[in-house]
Amino acid sequence: MPTNNSRMNKIDEELKKEISNIISTELKNPHLTGLISVTKVKTTPDLRFAKVYVSMINEKSKKQNLSILKQSSGYIRSGIAKRVNLRTTPELIFEFDESLEYGSKIDEILKDISKDWKKE
């Protein structure tokens, strides 16, 4: 079954926007700490599942935040069902986006290398 990439991209972007909105404005959990942003959403072609990649800044506990998001996925999913017109609302699977951390580690390594070069 061929998939329409532009349609899937539009769905992913719309879900990303709405999930971000719900997390920032509607989730009222005092244990959710720091700034949480949805970096990417990847939906399966049959719209049954959506992997939601999140990054966290100034968080106290990434694992606790991720756990809270996973527990709140039903609430977030029902919010999406009301806002986004899809035949089926995908089940949300939250995962931590390591790319920002990975990028900052590479940045640090490059800075160290450039310091070493300047010393020589």
Side-chain angles (χ1 to χ4, degrees):
M1 182 173 96
T3 59
N4 185 340
N5 266 350
S6 67
R7 179 176 183 265
M8 291 307 298
N9 290 341
K10 284 180 187 174
I11 291 171
D12 289 346
E13 282 302 310
E14 186 65 23
L15 288 175
K16 178 181 158 185
K17 185 179 84 174
E18 293 302 337
I19 293 168
S20 291
N21 196 9
I22 292 169
I23 289 173
S24 63
T25 61
E26 295 179 29
L27 273 190
K28 303 288 187 236
N29 189 320
H31 302 294
L32 210 54
T33 59
L35 178 67
I36 299 170
S37 62
V38 178
T39 55
K40 185 168 90 173
V41 174
K42 193 73 188 130
T43 312
T44 56
D46 61 1
L47 298 179
R48 291 191 56 215
F49 299 96
K51 272 193 180 178
V52 182
Y53 295 93
V54 293
S55 69
M56 301 173 199
I57 302 170
N58 299 329
E59 82 291 336
K60 289 179 184 164
S61 169
K62 290 178 190 172
K63 286 183 180 173
Q64 183 183 7
N65 280 351
L66 202 55
S67 173
I68 292 168
L69 288 174
K70 287 177 180 178
Q71 290 167 5
S72 305
S73 68
Y75 174 80
I76 297 169
R77 186 179 182 197
S78 68
I80 290 169
K82 293 173 191 166
R83 299 170 189 212
V84 182
N85 186 15
L86 293 172
R87 203 173 325 133
T88 56
T89 304
E91 187 177 318
L92 304 176
I93 302 162
F94 285 94
E95 290 196 6
F96 189 70
D97 186 356
E98 305 284 348
S99 64
L100 291 176
E101 264 183 25
Y102 182 72
S104 69
K105 281 182 187 174
I106 289 176
D107 237 15
E108 289 301 312
I109 292 169
L110 290 174
K111 283 178 187 172
D112 289 346
I113 291 171
S114 81
K115 284 179 191 172
D116 290 347
W117 271 42
K118 287 178 183 175
K119 287 179 184 174
E120 291 176 8

